[in-house]
Amino acid sequence: EDKVVQSPLSLVVHEGDTVTLNCSYEVTNFRSLLWYKQEKKAPTFLFMLTSSGIEKKSGRLSSILDKKELSSILNITATQTGDSAIYLCAASNFGNEKLTFGTGTRLTIIP
Amino acid sequence: DTAVSQTPKYLVTQMGNDKSIKCEQNLGHDTMYWYKQDSKKFLKIMFSYNNKELIINETVPNRFSPKSPDKAHLNLHINSLELGDSAVYFCASSHRAGGAWDEQFFGPGTRLTVL
């Protein structure tokens, strides 16, 4: 069965710190790895990664996929209180068209 | 303009009742999904529809019945509600024909509480 594991489960840091969130996957016929940010309501799309080693960047957030290690990281630099959220990682595969989600990392930024 | 919208946002009901949740997307997507998020924040796919045709039907009790009147709408009807149905239900959509079925956009969720 396809599986996505995220670590740490929760993280508390001070504003201005840099954080790295981890995601590992076991998915047959892997297609893509996605990151979402979930505050109080809907998960909002951050990145979709399909190629190994190519960093995607959006402001202070960046992410990279390592297909050899079956993992991805999400980096947030100069964290702000608005970054406090649950960050969800999901993997997709060719064939069954389902996203398999991890349990998320709850990030709390202390002012 | 809300891209993916759901109604209602909150639903509190008694065990045994039947209820429906509605979802609409104005993104022009051809595929829509229902997910269930439990108290531990674990998101799990329930159903997906492509152009009104069911393409994913996970192991979900048959008390749950999705209906897609057109590709912009996907409703979820739940019969004989049970305590374990309490969760947040998210609708999502994507553009499968464009090859990007995995880039999914989520609605705000419906928090269902069964008493």
Side-chain angles (χ1 to χ4, degrees):
Chain A
E1 192 177 320
D2 295 339
K3 196 166 128 182
V4 174
V5 176
Q6 292 185 244
S7 64
L9 289 180
S10 70
L11 188 55
V12 181
V13 299
H14 286 97
E15 206 168 16
D17 287 352
T18 293
V19 297
T20 298
L21 310 183
N22 300 289
C23 175
S24 63
Y25 60 89
E26 289 175 31
V27 169
T28 45
N29 295 321
F30 173 81
R31 174 184 159 108
S32 67
L33 191 291
L34 297 98
W35 285 98
Y36 287 85
K37 176 182 181 182
Q38 186 175 20
E39 296 174 87
K40 295 201 172 149
K41 294 184 179 179
T44 52
F45 175 82
L46 293 175
F47 298 110
M48 183 166 81
L49 305 156
T50 54
S51 301
S52 212
I54 298 174
E55 186 183 55
K56 287 215 172 175
K57 210 168 160 58
S58 175
R60 297 174 294 102
L61 277 66
S62 63
S63 184
I64 196 160
L65 176 66
D66 185 339
K67 284 186 178 178
K68 200 172 166 188
E69 296 295 325
L70 307 182
S71 66
S72 173
I73 59 170
L74 175 69
N75 278 322
I76 310 175
T77 58
T79 51
Q80 301 170 359
T81 54
D83 296 326
S84 294
I86 294 173
Y87 289 83
L88 297 168
C89 170
S92 72
N93 59 10
F94 290 100
N96 69 13
E97 295 194 22
K98 286 191 289 186
L99 287 184
T100 301
F101 278 85
T103 48
T105 292
R106 184 182 291 273
L107 176 65
T108 304
I109 310 297
I110 301 171
Chain B
D1 280 345
T2 308
V4 183
S5 59
Q6 293 178 229
T7 53
K9 287 190 178 153
Y10 300 95
L11 190 48
V12 181
T13 188
Q14 300 285 335
M15 236 169 35
N17 283 350
D18 303 338
K19 289 293 175 189
S20 290
I21 307 171
K22 294 186 175 183
C23 178
E24 177 180 358
Q25 55 93 6
N26 63 7
L27 294 166
H29 288 164
D30 57 4
T31 305
M32 297 181 73
Y33 309 81
W34 278 112
Y35 285 86
K36 180 180 179 181
Q37 188 173 47
D38 61 24
S39 55
K40 293 184 179 175
K41 300 294 183 186
F42 187 60
L43 258 176
K44 196 162 164 53
I45 183 75
M46 298 173 71
F47 301 102
S48 80
Y49 269 76
N50 173 252
N51 283 323
K52 303 193 293 175
E53 184 186 334
L54 182 67
I55 55 171
I56 293 174
N57 185 352
E58 283 296 276
T59 312
V60 175
N62 57 15
R63 298 181 293 104
F64 289 79
S65 51
K67 275 208 175 106
S68 182
D70 56 61
K71 69 177 189 180
H73 295 85
L74 180 63
N75 303 324
L76 183 65
H77 188 75
I78 316 170
N79 287 327
S80 304
L81 278 155
E82 298 177 0
L83 293 176
D85 298 332
S86 295
V88 181
Y89 292 84
F90 285 99
C91 176
S93 72
S94 69
H95 188 45
R96 183 174 184 245
W101 67 263
D102 37 3
E103 192 172 332
Q104 296 179 16
F105 294 86
F106 284 78
T110 295
R111 183 177 291 277
L112 171 65
T113 304
V114 182
L115 304 173

